[in-house]
Every structure is written in structure tokens, then in C-alpha cells.
Amino acid sequence: MYHRLRSTAVRGYEDRPSDMPLVVPIDSETKQRIKISIYFVTWWALNVVFNIYNKKVLNAFPYPWLTSTLSLAAGSLIMLVSWATRIAEAPKTDMDFWKALAPVAIAHTIGHVAATVSMSKVAVSFTHIIKSAEPAFSVFVSHFLLGESFPLPTYLSLLPIIGGCGLAAATELNFNMTGFMGAMISNLAFVFRNIFSKKGMKGKSVSGMNYYACLSIMSLLILTPFAIAVEGPQLWAAGWQKAVSQIGPNFVWWVAAQSVFYHLYNQVSYMSLDEISPLTFSIGNTMKRISVIVSSIIIFHTPVQPINALGAGIAILGTFLYSQVKK
């Protein structure tokens, strides 16, 4: 009996054509999770590289307004060339699209400049510890301005985020109020950007990649006159000559790298925003800061007090708890 069953099983296996692949079906939900995971990992890796080069540039060339402008200019140029050469399909837009994009571009410009100003004044790790409070800003804005309500555990999960950021700020060895306020303003601006982006992308045929490209172009137009007014070509020219004389040709590479990687990581993040909610986006944006904080401390040899690290750990733990209660 056993022999007959075994023979039948063997024949059944051998009867299967040799070129027939063994396919394990994957449901649509799993595929979506894999897709979002790939987006998130790529987004985080690109962001780490950007932050390293961005800080290198700002250490040698402390002009955050021009640095921010160059980042937007690089992204705009990349996409314009891609559209012209048909590497990427140009978006079909109308006046209503650009009107809806305007508040997003304003928020993006403010958040981008504020974060860069913060990075020019304090350590990368400190900027990102403070920016890990973004979920708290997202909940407060959603609650008080959009009228959304959340379960009690959501509000409670914000306590360690706020407390941890406060502890880290209070114990920061090289605390700078401009750097602190820049990170806080950036948090608020980017929450509005994410909310406006999600609303602006609804019902639109423009993909996340092209949406961010249009956003970069409009933000560049908004930022350029302000950058000229705040810093100006004379300071830029003198600062550039000094940086090149101290660093050498590598400085030009640093500027190019930070500009290109800024565009790439934001482009991938907007491709993620196509698939998720603003709150989930904020969670992913916060979790990626762990890799940025750790890598920047290692690369720049940033001194960290134990109590300062404890504050950062509490804030990150709060972010994890927040992500759990939001499931």
C-alpha cells in the first residue's frame, strides 16, 4: 500500500513539466507592503547620504539659503531634462493643479529652508532628534485645524515623544536656539506640506514623482528671490572661494551630491506618499531618523551625553508606540 502511494506521488511529480515554475501566489496586500517597504528603505538610505553631504557643505559654506536653493535647482533641472528627453513622461497639468500646488510649495519651501538653517547651526543628530517630534505636530494640526479625533492611546503615545525631545534639547552640549527653532518650524511646515500634498494629489493623474518635480520647480521660484535678499551674491562668492581654497575640488562634489541626493530622497518619499496616509508618512519619516542620527554621530564624531542619548531613545520609543497604536 505504502509503495503504491509513494509510486503515485513520484509519478505525479515527474509528470509535471520540467519547465513549469513553482509559483507561490502573493496576495495584493502583501505586494503592497513589499512595495512600500522598498520605497521606505530606499528613501531612508538616500536621506542618510544627503544629510552627510549637506552637513559637510554647511560646515565649509555656512549659507543655508543658497544651499537650499541649489538643492531645489538640481531637482528641477533633473526633471526638466527627463521630460525633454522623454526619460520620464511629462505631467499633464492645468491652472487648477498649480493653484492647488501653491500652498504645498510654500510649506515645502519654509520647511526645507528651516531644516537647512537648523543643520547649519547644530549637529545633524540634534536636528533630527527634534524633528522626530513630527507625529506630535501632525496629530495636533489634524485635531485642532482639521477637526480629526484620535483614540486616547494615540495622544498618550505623544508624551514620550515630546518628553524625549525636551530632554534631548535640555541636555544638548552645543544647543543653539536658531538651530532648535529651525527644526521646530520645519516640523510644522512639513506636516502642512504632507496634508496639502495628499489633498492635492486626490483626483489628479499626476504621479508622485512628477508631483514632487512640479513642487520643486514652484518652490525654487518662491525661494530664489528670498535667498538673494537674505544672503546675496557677494557673500556667496566670498564664501565659495574660501570653501574651495580650504577643501579643494571635493567641495564642488559635496555641493553636487547634496543637491542631487536631496531631490532623489524626496522623490522617493513622494512616491511613497502616493500609497499611504499623511500620518503613516510622518511615522516613516520619523523612523528613518534613527539611521540618520546614528550614522551622523559616527561619521562626524558628535559628542553625546548619556542623558542626551536617553532623551533621544525615549523620543524614538514614543514614535514606535505611536506607530503601534495607529495600526
Side-chain angles (χ1 to χ4, degrees):
M1 178 69 178
Y2 170 77
H3 180 74
R4 287 200 303 272
L5 288 174
R6 185 176 180 276
S7 298
T8 303
V10 170
R11 283 198 305 271
Y13 177 80
E14 290 176 346
D15 287 343
R16 184 177 66 86
S18 59
D19 60 344
M20 181 183 294
L22 271 170
V23 178
V24 179
I26 302 177
D27 58 77
S28 58
E29 184 178 352
T30 302
K31 288 181 179 179
Q32 183 69 5
R33 287 179 180 177
I34 293 173
K35 182 180 179 181
I36 293 175
S37 297
I38 292 173
Y39 279 155
F40 271 28
V41 171
T42 306
W43 169 25
W44 297 345
L46 292 171
N47 188 259
V48 167
V49 177
F50 158 71
N51 276 279
I52 291 170
Y53 281 111
N54 184 244
K55 185 60 177 175
K56 284 186 174 184
V57 170
L58 291 171
N59 283 343
F61 184 76
Y63 297 98
W65 288 78
L66 177 60
T67 304
S68 302
T69 305
L70 292 175
S71 300
L72 295 173
S76 300
L77 179 61
I78 289 170
M79 291 311 299
L80 288 172
V81 171
S82 298
W83 292 338
T85 57
R86 298 185 180 276
I87 295 175
E89 184 178 354
K92 296 178 181 179
T93 62
D94 53 23
M95 188 55 65
D96 290 337
F97 170 83
W98 292 101
K99 287 180 179 178
L101 187 66
V104 185
I106 293 172
H108 179 70
T109 304
I110 294 171
H112 177 37
V113 174
T116 309
V117 168
S118 177
M119 294 265 282
S120 70
K121 298 295 183 181
V122 296
V124 176
S125 55
F126 180 68
T127 296
H128 282 274
I129 289 170
I130 300 304
K131 283 175 69 62
S132 67
E134 187 173 316
F137 283 81
S138 183
V139 169
F140 291 150
V141 169
S142 298
H143 179 80
F144 291 107
L145 297 185
L146 304 180
E148 295 183 20
S149 58
F150 303 93
L152 180 60
T154 300
Y155 295 107
L156 293 177
S157 70
L158 300 180
L159 296 179
I161 296 177
I162 297 171
C165 288
L167 180 61
T171 58
E172 173 65 22
L173 290 173
N174 299 308
F175 180 84
N176 179 280
M177 183 56 71
T178 301
F180 174 75
M181 291 305 300
M184 294 288 281
I185 293 171
S186 179
N187 275 340
L188 186 60
F190 281 150
V191 166
F192 276 107
R193 181 198 67 176
N194 296 341
I195 292 173
F196 292 149
S197 294
K198 197 65 178 180
K199 288 185 175 182
M201 291 169 76
K202 284 184 178 178
K204 302 293 184 182
S205 59
V206 179
S207 66
M209 181 178 68
N210 280 337
Y211 187 91
Y212 179 70
C214 294
L215 176 60
S216 292
I217 294 170
M218 181 172 278
S219 292
L220 176 62
L221 295 176
I222 294 171
L223 177 57
T224 300
F226 286 98
I228 294 173
V230 174
E231 293 174 347
Q234 289 184 342
L235 288 177
W236 294 341
W240 187 276
Q241 289 179 355
K242 182 179 178 181
V244 171
S245 64
Q246 292 179 343
I247 307 299
N250 280 341
F251 174 72
V252 179
W253 159 247
W254 292 355
V255 173
Q258 74 93 25
S259 301
V260 171
F261 279 104
Y262 174 80
H263 173 75
L264 292 178
Y265 100 75
N266 272 289
Q267 188 176 77
V268 174
S269 74
Y270 263 79
M271 292 168 69
S272 303
L273 192 57
D274 260 342
E275 312 289 340
I276 57 179
S277 69
L279 284 175
T280 304
F281 184 88
S282 292
I283 295 169
N285 202 30
T286 302
M287 296 303 290
K288 73 145 193 249
R289 299 195 194 286
I290 299 174
S291 56
V292 174
I293 291 169
V294 172
S295 62
S296 66
I297 289 174
I298 294 172
I299 291 172
F300 295 108
H301 306 288
T302 307
V304 180
Q305 291 181 318
I307 193 169
N308 185 261
L310 177 63
I314 292 173
I316 292 168
L317 175 62
T319 302
F320 173 76
L321 295 174
Y322 175 83
S323 66
Q324 295 303 300
V325 299
K326 285 301 296 176
K327 282 185 177 180

